[in-house]
Amino acid sequence: MNITLRVWRQKSRHETGHFEEYEAHDLNPNMSFLEMLDVVNEQLTKAGKQPIAFDHDCREGICGMCSCVINGEPHGPENKVATCQTYLRSFKDGDTITVEPFRAAGFPLVKDLVVDRSAFDRIMQAGGFISVNTGNAPDANAIPVGKEIADQAMDAAQCIGCGACVAACKNASAMLFVAAKVSHLNLLPQGQPEKSKRALAMVNQMDEEGFGACTVTGSCEAVCPKGISLSFISKLNRDYLGAMLFR
């Protein structure tokens, strides 16, 4: 399989970037997208050129670090997978594939396809803590949690913080990420004491980081590799309004 790779190259956030084209030949269609980038980087290194900088860790769709935009779609053409789970068989022999970093004010570019997503870490830190007793592990049934609530909390907790929702949103909103992270704690009994404070603090931090407002277009849910539902944004809005009224 042969492809033409059109990649965004930029040395730092302060320099002007541009697209560069590379030819990649004799590729295995069962390669992951990141394995293909490894092959291209090996060719560039042998030619004495700078390899393409891209981020990754688990390569199992868990960490979310591999995020990039492939042919205009965050994570690529497949549904509910991260970039590392996208395979060359999703493309055709002879295709030209355009690869870009996530573009958002809250995700400043570091180099090439790497962006700084530490804004998500600061939003999480703003959420504070949950009220759990330390010491010996409590009995599993000490705090009853209904199955429906437990399922909702687990659905929200699946968010890997990759930022695809931000990249797909026309406003670069992080509402789906924040909604998932607020909801998976606020739904459970352990998260109730800090529920109002958490909703206020995390939304306020999101605004401070420069993410846009949510206009509920649904583009975030469409590209989320874990299929996080828009319903969590509705829940966050209710929690936030309730916290404002309580305050």
Side-chain angles (χ1 to χ4, degrees):
M1 182 175 183
N2 304 318
I3 62 167
T4 299
L5 200 62
R6 190 166 173 262
V7 186
W8 184 260
R9 303 303 305 266
Q10 187 171 340
K11 291 183 179 180
S12 73
R13 70 184 70 178
H14 305 296
E15 298 190 36
T16 303
H18 62 280
F19 282 104
E20 289 187 5
E21 288 192 1
Y22 308 103
E23 299 294 330
H25 301 287
D26 301 322
L27 300 172
N28 188 323
N30 294 316
M31 278 183 175
S32 73
F33 200 83
L34 298 189
E35 288 173 325
M36 179 271 294
L37 288 178
D38 287 336
V39 170
V40 172
N41 276 346
E42 187 175 346
Q43 295 172 356
L44 291 174
T45 302
K46 288 180 178 178
K49 299 179 181 179
Q50 280 290 317
I52 302 162
F54 65 95
D55 213 348
H56 67 95
D57 187 13
C58 71
R59 298 201 177 203
E60 295 178 348
I62 298 171
C63 71
M65 292 175 64
C66 61
S67 307
C68 59
V69 177
I70 304 170
N71 286 344
E73 299 182 68
H75 292 305
E78 298 300 327
N79 189 37
K80 295 183 180 179
V81 296
T83 301
C84 61
Q85 297 170 302
T86 299
Y87 291 88
L88 293 190
R89 57 178 175 264
S90 300
F91 307 93
K92 296 178 181 178
D93 186 30
D95 274 357
T96 296
I97 304 175
T98 301
V99 192
E100 305 171 70
F102 282 179
R103 302 186 187 276
F107 292 158
L109 188 136
V110 177
K111 183 179 180 181
D112 295 342
L113 305 178
V114 182
V115 297
D116 180 358
R117 290 182 295 120
S118 59
F120 274 10
D121 297 329
R122 292 188 289 274
I123 292 172
M124 287 295 294
Q125 290 166 4
F129 55 92
I130 60 171
S131 294
V132 177
N133 292 328
T134 58
N136 295 332
D139 185 85
N141 298 319
I143 303 177
V145 180
K147 185 179 187 305
E148 182 179 349
I149 296 298
D151 287 346
Q152 288 182 43
M154 288 297 293
D155 288 345
Q158 288 186 88
C159 172
I160 58 176
C162 67
C165 51
V166 175
C169 178
K170 64 179 183 178
N171 304 321
S173 172
M175 276 291 281
L176 191 65
F177 164 77
V178 176
K181 295 305 180 183
V182 169
S183 296
H184 93 260
L185 295 177
N186 282 9
L187 280 163
L188 297 173
Q190 294 91 335
Q192 295 303 306
E194 296 83 30
K195 178 179 178 179
S196 296
K197 180 181 177 182
R198 180 179 297 113
L200 287 172
M202 292 181 73
V203 170
N204 291 340
Q205 186 65 39
M206 174 185 70
D207 292 340
E208 287 182 22
E209 297 293 344
F211 294 105
C214 174
T215 49
V216 200
T217 64
S219 57
C220 53
E221 180 182 25
V223 301
C224 176
K226 298 302 177 182
I228 304 298
S229 171
L230 281 176
S231 63
F232 289 114
I233 294 180
S234 298
K235 185 183 186 319
L236 173 60
N237 287 334
R238 291 193 298 270
D239 288 349
Y240 184 80
L241 180 58
M244 290 288 289
L245 294 173
F246 178 78
R247 187 177 65 173

